[in-house]
Amino acid sequence: MTYETLAREKAGALIEKGHARILAVESSCDETAMAVVEDGRRLIAGVIASQIDMHALYGGVVPEIASRMHVEALDPLLDQTLGQAGLTMDGVDAVAVTYGPGLVGALLTGVAWAKAFAYARALPLVAVNHIEGHVSANYIAHPDLRPPFVCLVASGGHSHIVRVDDYGAYTLLGGTTDDAAGEAFDKVARVLDIPYPGGPLLDKLAEEGNDRAYAFPKIHTPGPYDFSFSGLKTAVINQAHHLRQQGEAINAADWAASFRRAVVDSLAEKTVRACLDTGLRRVALAGGVASNRLLRREIERLGKKAGLETFMPPAALCTDNAAMIGSAAFYRLMKGEIAPLSLNAVPSLGLMGD
Ligand code: KG4
Ligand code: ZN
């Protein structure tokens, strides 16, 4: 029998049982991650090999280094993940992998590894969209959460407000017209001499600052659920340079707090408005920026005021991880969506598969 026939038969049996233990692989950027997830909801094991220390030397992700480090990390991660799960390879029912969006070389390492594993073990292969993965982190953190709900996906490369109509079915309500929220955090952090990755450290610093200390320009956006951070980012960076040229000291904590306030107000207000306008009562956060402390507090506060139920994964499931990929993969697998061995990386993949 060919691999395709075996994989299809195995997938059919899993669909019939409504049960699958999935080994998931994530390598789209600067973390190599692997996890075992059961039935889309239960995280059995999850391991992450972070490359942050290496990229910090260069002030940002160096794609070629990222790819090489993924290649080195993948095999040892399998041993660690299975060890943590208390499983052998026989305990794995299917393999899932992020195939986009992300850095092409980085994605390819995970895709090639997952294809080889699937072929060698005659297991179904499931291709997962990284952004859908971020949304799905909520299914692991909140076992009772079911679509429909509104989700803000804010990461280093993406900022979207989506209506999650069903598992794997989305309506895009709005998004950034320029920089992603995480990108803006990272760029402003650099001006404050905060090392890469700037977002989390800027957030920490902002906790000690006064968010009314500096006045930054108001954000203008074309649509009610759209974002724009480029103008704010440029104004903030220019203002910092200007003050420095004049020999004025910048209070970094106040600066970070004032900038964070401007970004978070925009993200939180628009997300809650989108939820109310769609008539849905549940709002969720996803992506690296969803670990931002102020954003979490604001969504809780505004959500409560509007009578909404709020959902957000713990910080470790907001930033890149493989658990979220294993969750998204389960619902794809249950619909019979398995990938061929010709699967390729799609670096600019959109949430709607465009
Ligand atoms: O989702 P993620 O891990 O990777 C991408 O898919 O991009 O997101 C990483 C982004 C980076 O820009 C990082 O600075 C930002 O999320 N980030 C944060 C925080 N934690 C991570 N931004 C603001 N506050 C945080 N606490
Ligand atoms: Zn991500």
Side-chain angles (χ1 to χ4, degrees), residues 105-166:
L107 288 165
L108 277 173
T109 64
V111 168
W113 190 94
K115 285 202 277 194
F117 190 92
Y119 182 73
R121 307 291 306 174
L123 296 177
L125 175 70
V126 186
V128 176
N129 181 314
H130 183 80
I131 311 171
E132 177 170 311
H134 276 303
V135 174
S136 307
N138 281 288
Y139 298 138
I140 292 187
H142 307 288
D144 297 328
L145 175 65
R146 279 169 177 73
F149 57 94
V150 164
C151 188
L152 167 71
V153 193
S155 70
H158 305 274
S159 301
H160 303 303
I161 299 179
V162 295
R163 195 176 71 210
V164 182
D165 300 311
D166 198 350

Side-chain angles (χ1 to χ4, degrees), residues 28 31 130 134 154-158 182-183 185-186 197-200 203 287-289 291-293 318-320:
S28 64
E31 329 262 13
H130 183 80
H134 276 303
S155 70
H158 305 274
E183 191 181 352
F185 270 112
D186 294 341
D203 182 27
V289 179
S291 58
N292 186 276
R293 294 163 174 91
C318 289
T319 44
D320 289 350

Side-chain angles (χ1 to χ4, degrees), residues 300-314:
E300 289 286 14
R301 189 181 68 81
L302 293 175
K304 200 169 168 189
K305 210 166 119 189
L308 305 177
E309 249 187 296
T310 55
F311 300 88
M312 48 197 84

Side-chain angles (χ1 to χ4, degrees), residues 142-344:
H142 307 288
D144 297 328
L145 175 65
R146 279 169 177 73
F149 57 94
V150 164
C151 188
L152 167 71
V153 193
S155 70
H158 305 274
S159 301
H160 303 303
I161 299 179
V162 295
R163 195 176 71 210
V164 182
D165 300 311
D166 198 350
Y167 296 106
Y170 309 90
T171 305
L172 189 62
L173 301 176
T176 181
T177 53
D178 40 63
D179 290 359
E183 191 181 352
F185 270 112
D186 294 341
K187 287 181 179 161
V188 168
R190 205 181 286 195
V191 175
L192 295 177
D193 293 325
I194 296 171
Y196 166 87
L201 294 176
L202 188 149
D203 182 27
K204 208 166 155 205
L205 185 64
E207 290 286 289
E208 293 149 28
N210 170 8
D211 63 8
R212 292 165 187 269
Y214 295 96
F216 296 133
K218 261 217 105 35
I219 298 174
H220 296 286
T221 50
Y225 317 127
D226 288 327
F227 305 116
S228 167
F229 299 114
S230 161
L232 171 70
K233 176 201 71 186
T234 309
V236 166
I237 292 174
N238 287 347
Q239 209 168 316
H241 287 317
H242 183 69
L243 287 176
R244 280 190 182 133
Q245 268 166 6
Q246 296 191 326
E248 278 187 49
I250 292 174
N251 180 319
D254 287 352
W255 196 270
S258 304
F259 170 73
R260 182 181 69 164
R261 168 59 68 185
V263 174
V264 165
D265 278 352
S266 175
L267 291 172
E269 279 165 17
K270 289 181 179 227
T271 304
V272 168
R273 190 185 310 161
C275 191
L276 290 173
D277 290 354
T278 50
L280 295 177
R281 309 308 302 168
R282 287 179 295 234
V283 64
L285 294 182
V289 179
S291 58
N292 186 276
R293 294 163 174 91
L294 182 64
L295 178 60
R296 298 171 79 91
R297 292 198 292 267
E298 281 300 289
I299 288 286
E300 289 286 14
R301 189 181 68 81
L302 293 175
K304 200 169 168 189
K305 210 166 119 189
L308 305 177
E309 249 187 296
T310 55
F311 300 88
M312 48 197 84
L317 289 176
C318 289
T319 44
D320 289 350
N321 65 86
M324 65 186 201
I325 303 302
S327 174
F330 176 75
Y331 296 102
R332 293 272 168 200
L333 177 63
M334 288 299 125
K335 288 188 204 159
E337 293 182 33
I338 63 173
L341 289 181
S342 56
L343 176 70
N344 204 352

